[in-house]
Amino acid sequence: MKAKAIRIHKYGGPEVLQFEDVEVAEPGEGEARIRHTAIGLNFIDTYHRSGLYPMELPTGLGSEAAGVVDAVGPGVTGVKPGDRVVYTGRPADAYSEYRNFPAWQLVPIPDNVTDEQAAAVLLKGLTAWYLLKRTYKVQPGDPILLYAAAGGVGSLASQWAKDLGAVVIGVVSTDAKAELAKANGCDHVIMADNPDIAGAVRKLTDGKGVAAVYDSVGKDTFMTSLDALRPHGVMATFGNATGPVDPVAPAELAKRGSLYLIRPVLFDYIATREDLVAAAGELFEVVGRGAVTISINQRYALKDAAQAHRDLEARKTTGSTILLPT
Ligand SMILES: NC(=O)c1ccc[n+]([C@@H]2O[C@H](COP(=O)([O-])OP(=O)(O)OC[C@H]3O[C@@H](n4cnc5c(N)ncnc54)[C@H](OP(=O)(O)O)[C@@H]3O)[C@@H](O)[C@H]2O)c1
């Protein structure tokens, strides 16, 4: 069948995104064909587009979407046509009206969650889940530092961290984002242009530093983040908004008090059906009881994905952003 999709034939800026006709095959063994109703926009999509995370070209884009199962291939028993599902994963082809995807990676959307909310929360919410509950397991009273606290992952992680009892210190770039971060549960907010973020963190933690830093900004903030940690603190560098982090000598961890450094990736935490279902269950539990609310603050037509990329990279977006197939 024919469908519309965003594809790229070369790496580059948002201008390389093309809205094209594609042929979607019948689902193969273990696959389901999904009619997308809402697509999640994520910063990783910009890394795929720019070539920071290389893919074989030409390719689609997009690592998260919600929709309805349209058809299933041989051997699929877990889902059937008509089921509402959401997924995150590879290959990146979510910027499309229809696509085939491995059925084992499909998560049923709970009745109390809309398709738009599901597409807005799965990838970012599962990221918040693994960061706070696996990478460094937040304990009540732990001070933590979180960058981009009004962004997609940041908005969800701030709320979830607060629910776990953390003292949440958020970093944001504007006053409007500071208000959002506070509404998300940040106890303290530091402005991103503060020349001494680590010093500000120490003032807020009786000179001790934080138990963990969740740093998605990357290159520009890495050393500052190490400086903000208490001895034995955990540095989770999980994104590259300012570019990939430079190589670092292990001695930098030693001289700041036996720090731990991890570069985690969501897909390693949901690599089996069992792990994915358990993680999604925890996410939809906090959403269901209202501890974590989903803010969809931007919506774009799928064909306008390039504008969505421009706005995301220009730090104009807050909360979650979705793309809507027409
Ligand atoms: N490793 C993983 O498993 C994983 C999974 C999901 C996401 N991530 C990472 O998590 C981060 C957040 O993803 P998201 O989709 O939720 O995006 P987002 O947080 O909604 O947007 C990125 C935010 O980063 C901040 N930022 C700081 N410096 C920036 C710069 N030079 N250019 C652009 N933004 C800058 C901005 O917030 P301020 O203006 O407030 O500074 C911006 O709003 C990304 O780095 C992404 O790669 C990693």
Side-chain angles (χ1 to χ4, degrees):
M1 63 182 295
K2 287 252 184 277
K4 292 278 190 193
I6 295 279
R7 292 178 64 73
I8 61 168
H9 296 257
K10 59 180 179 182
Y11 298 126
E15 71 282 353
V16 300
L17 270 55
Q18 296 190 11
F19 193 50
E20 297 179 352
D21 289 314
V22 293
E23 186 66 33
V24 182
E26 289 301 307
E29 177 87 29
E31 287 184 338
R33 188 169 64 207
I34 301 144
R35 175 174 61 81
H36 290 151
T37 50
I39 299 153
L41 179 79
N42 290 286
F43 219 89
I44 192 174
D45 307 343
T46 71
Y47 308 147
H48 286 145
R49 187 208 71 218
S50 70
L52 178 64
Y53 295 175
M55 300 195 293
E56 200 174 314
L57 297 176
T59 178
L61 277 185
S63 299
E64 171 183 47
V68 178
V69 174
D70 174 60
V72 295
V76 172
T77 53
V79 290
K80 58 183 186 317
D83 286 357
R84 293 171 63 231
V85 292
V86 61
Y87 67 83
T88 177
R90 305 166 178 133
D93 209 6
Y95 286 12
S96 56
E97 293 176 324
Y98 286 83
R99 66 104 38 105
N100 290 313
F101 197 70
W104 76 263
Q105 285 176 271
L106 298 176
V107 175
I109 302 175
D111 290 343
N112 62 341
V113 174
T114 66
D115 290 13
E116 290 195 358
Q117 289 173 323
V121 81
L122 191 74
L123 192 160
K124 300 168 196 68
L126 291 180
T127 301
W129 161 79
Y130 85 71
L131 288 171
L132 301 169
K133 302 196 76 174
R134 294 290 185 278
T135 299
Y136 172 74
K137 202 168 164 37
V138 167
Q139 303 298 318
D142 274 348
I144 63 164
L145 179 66
L146 184 64
Y147 290 86
V153 173
S155 294
L156 298 164
S158 306
Q159 296 177 74
W160 204 332
K162 195 67 202 159
D163 188 59
L164 292 169
V167 176
V168 187
I169 305 174
V171 179
V172 296
S173 64
T174 68
D175 290 342
K177 288 183 179 184
E179 289 310 310
L180 277 179
K182 283 181 196 152
N184 287 335
C186 286
D187 298 275
H188 309 284
V189 175
I190 299 173
M191 300 312 286
D193 62 0
N194 185 323
D196 187 16
I197 288 178
V201 167
R202 293 210 174 267
K203 274 189 201 139
L204 293 168
T205 53
D206 298 327
K208 294 187 181 118
V210 288
V213 180
Y214 302 102
D215 185 337
S216 61
V217 174
K219 187 178 176 69
D220 285 4
T221 50
F222 185 83
M223 295 312 288
T224 296
S225 295
L226 292 189
D227 288 340
L229 282 162
R230 70 187 184 190
H232 309 292
V234 174
M235 167 62 171
T237 171
F238 72 101
N240 322 279
T242 57
V245 173
D246 291 329
V248 58
E252 297 294 337
L253 308 176
K255 71 184 183 203
R256 289 170 177 80
S258 304
L259 303 180
Y260 293 84
L261 170 63
I262 181 169
R263 196 341 181 159
V265 176
L266 168 62
F267 303 111
D268 293 328
Y269 292 81
I270 53 169
T272 67
R273 177 76 190 162
E274 197 184 1
D275 287 344
L276 172 63
V277 168
E282 289 191 52
L283 172 60
F284 287 127
E285 189 274 325
V286 290
V287 169
R289 68 179 163 83
V292 172
T293 58
I294 304 159
S295 298
I296 304 174
N297 294 347
Q298 298 78 213
R299 289 177 172 80
Y300 301 82
L302 174 60
K303 66 178 172 46
D304 297 329
Q307 189 58 44
H309 277 221
R310 280 186 200 101
D311 293 346
L312 182 65
E313 292 179 288
R315 304 165 86 159
K316 287 184 181 164
T317 65
T318 57
S320 293
T321 303
I322 55 169
L323 307 176
L324 297 167
T326 40

